[in-house]
C-alpha cells in the first residue's frame, strides 16, 4: 500500500481559489488635478517627487502669479511673471535681513515671532525675449539633488542651492536684462544716467534701499560685456551667451553687529567669481565623517585662479576639515531662520575633486 503526500484533488473540486472581490473604491487619476506638481520635465516626472524640500513651493506654483518665495539662505528666490512696461518673466533674488520685522519679546529675551516680506525683489534675471509674453513663464523643473534644484526658462539655466555665494544664471543666445524694484543710483561708483552705456566684466551696483551688489557677466566669447542703463534696467547691447552672477555686498540701511569691509568683500568675490555649482551630493563615509561632493563649472573669462566660494551654517564650522576649505572671515551673511552664514573657499582648484570633508564631533557620533 502506498500513500501520496499530496493527493490529487477530487474530480469536481475547483482548480484555484476564488477571485478577489472588486475594490471598494475605484482607482482614478483625479487627485492629480488637485495637487499635481507643475512644470516638471518628462525625465523628472519619472522620479519620486519630493514633498518637503526647501524649494517645494516651485512644485505647487501654477504660473498664474508670482511663485511663493523659496528661502535658500542667504538668498530668497521667486519665479516672477512679466511686468508690463518694466521687465519680462524671470527669476528674482533678494537678500532680506534688513526688512525683518520682530514681534514681542518672550521670557527668554527672544522675539516671539518675526517676519520677512518675501514679495520684495532686489533683482530680476530676465531677457528682452521674455518681454510682452502672456501666460506663465516658460519654466521647466529639470532635476534636483541633495542641495538644490535645476531650472530652465527659455534660454536661461540655473541651479539654485542652499548656501550659494552667487546667484548664477547661464544664458544661451539671449539679450540679458536685469531689473530691480528699487532705483539704481550708481554703477561702479558713478551716478547712474539714463541711456548711459558701461563696458566691463564686473559691475558694482548701488540701490536706493541702501544695498550694494556686484554683478558679473562672463561671455563665452571672452572680454567685456556692454550694458545700457535704461528704464531702471541693465540690458546687454546684443545677444549674450555665457554666465551672469549676482552677489550681495553690504547695506547702509541697518547697523551690522560686526562691521564689514566692502573692499575686502569685493576682493573675495572677484577671487571666486565664475566658479559655480551645477550639482551636489552628500555622502556618508562612516559614523564620524561625511563629505559634500560638488559638481563645479568654470565660466569662460573668469580668473584662472578662481576658487569655489560657498556658505556654511554655524553647526558646520566645527566639522569642516581645514584641508578642504579655507574660512573667509571677511564675509558673513544671514540665513532667514538659522542664524549667520560663514563664507568658505575651496582649498583646491575647482577641477580637482572638489569636496568639503566634515568630521562629526565624537560626542555626537557616539550618541
Amino acid at each position: 500500500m502506498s500513500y501520496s503526500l499530496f493527493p490529487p484533488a477530487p474530480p469536481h473540486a475547483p482548480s484555484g481559489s476564488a477571485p478577489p472581490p472588486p475594490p471598494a473604491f475605484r482607482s482614478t487619476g483625479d487627485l492629480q488635478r488637485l495637487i499635481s506638481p507643475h512644470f516638471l520635465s518628462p525625465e523628472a516626472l519619472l522620479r519620486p517627487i519630493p514633498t518637503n524640500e526647501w524649494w517645494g513651493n516651485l512644485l505647487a506654483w501654477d504660473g498664474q502669479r508670482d511663485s511663493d518665495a523659496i528661502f535658500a539662505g542667504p538668498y530668497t528666490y521667486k519665479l516672477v511673471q512679466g511686468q508690463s512696461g518694466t521687465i519680462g518673466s524671470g527669476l528674482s533674488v533678494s537678500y532680506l535681513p534688513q526688512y525683518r520685522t520682530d514681534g514681542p519679546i518672550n521670557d527668554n529675551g527672544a522675539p516671539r515671532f518675526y517676519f520677512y516680506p518675501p514679495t520684495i525683489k532686489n533683482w530680476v534675471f530676465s531677457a528682452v525675449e521674455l518681454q510682452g509674453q502672456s501666460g506663465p513663464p516658460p519654466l521647466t523643473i529639470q532635476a534636483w539633488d541633495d542641495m538644490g534644484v535645476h531650472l530652465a526658462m527659455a534660454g536661461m539655466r540655473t541651479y539654485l542651492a542652499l548656501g550659494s555665494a552667487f546667484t548664477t544664471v547661464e544664458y544661451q543666445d539671449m539679450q540679458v536684462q536685469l531689473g530691480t524694484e528699487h532705483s539704481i543710483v550708481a554703477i561702479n561708483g558713478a551716478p547712474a544716467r539714463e541711456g548711459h552705456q558701461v563696458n566691463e566684466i564686473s559691475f558694482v551696483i548701488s540701490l536706493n534701499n541702501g544695498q550694494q551688489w556686484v554683478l558679473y557677466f562672463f561671455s563665452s566669447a571672452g572680454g567685456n560685456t556692454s550694458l545700457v542703463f535704461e528704464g531702471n534696467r541693465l540690458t546687454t547691447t546684443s545677444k549674450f551667451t555665457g554666465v551672469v552672477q549676482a552677489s550681495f555686498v553690504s547695506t547702509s540701511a541697518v547697523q551690522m553687529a560686526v562691521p564689514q569691509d566692502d573692499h575686502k568683500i569685493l576682493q573675495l568675490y572677484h577671487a571666486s567669481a565664475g566658479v559655480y555649482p551645477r550639482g551636489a551630493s552628500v555622502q556618508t563615509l562612516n559614523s564620524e565623517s561625511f563629505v559634500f561632493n560638488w559638481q563645479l563649472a568654470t565660466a569662460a573669462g573668469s580668473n584662472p585662479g578662481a576658487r569655489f566660494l560657498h556658505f556654511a551654517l554655524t553647526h558646520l564650522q566645527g566639522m569642516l576639515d581645514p584641508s578642504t576649505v579655507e574660512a573667509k572671515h571677511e564675509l558673513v551673511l544671514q540665513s532667514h531662520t538659522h542664524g549667520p552664514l560663514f563664507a568658505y573657499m575651496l582649498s583646491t582648484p575647482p577641477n580637482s575633486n572638489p569636496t568639503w570633508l566634515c568630521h562629526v564631533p565624537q560626542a555626537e557620533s557616539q550618541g
Side-chain angles (χ1 to χ4, degrees), residues 71 99-104 110-117 335-339:
F71 296 90
Y99 298 101
R100 171 172 156 161
T101 300
D102 289 346
R112 293 183 181 178
F113 59 84
Y114 52 89
F115 169 74
Y116 290 101
S335 67
H336 300 93
T337 58
H338 295 92

Side-chain angles (χ1 to χ4, degrees), residues 81-139:
Q81 290 189 314
Q83 303 163 41
S84 178
T86 56
I87 197 166
S89 58
L91 173 74
S92 76
V93 55
S94 300
Y95 183 67
L96 297 178
Q98 74 186 63
Y99 298 101
R100 171 172 156 161
T101 300
D102 289 346
I105 301 300
N106 62 21
D107 294 339
N108 296 320
R112 293 183 181 178
F113 59 84
Y114 52 89
F115 169 74
Y116 290 101
T119 57
I120 291 173
K121 307 178 188 72
N122 294 150
W123 287 101
V124 175
F125 286 81
S126 187
V128 171
E129 290 83 352
L130 296 175
Q131 284 185 337
Q133 291 189 359
S134 60
L139 172 72

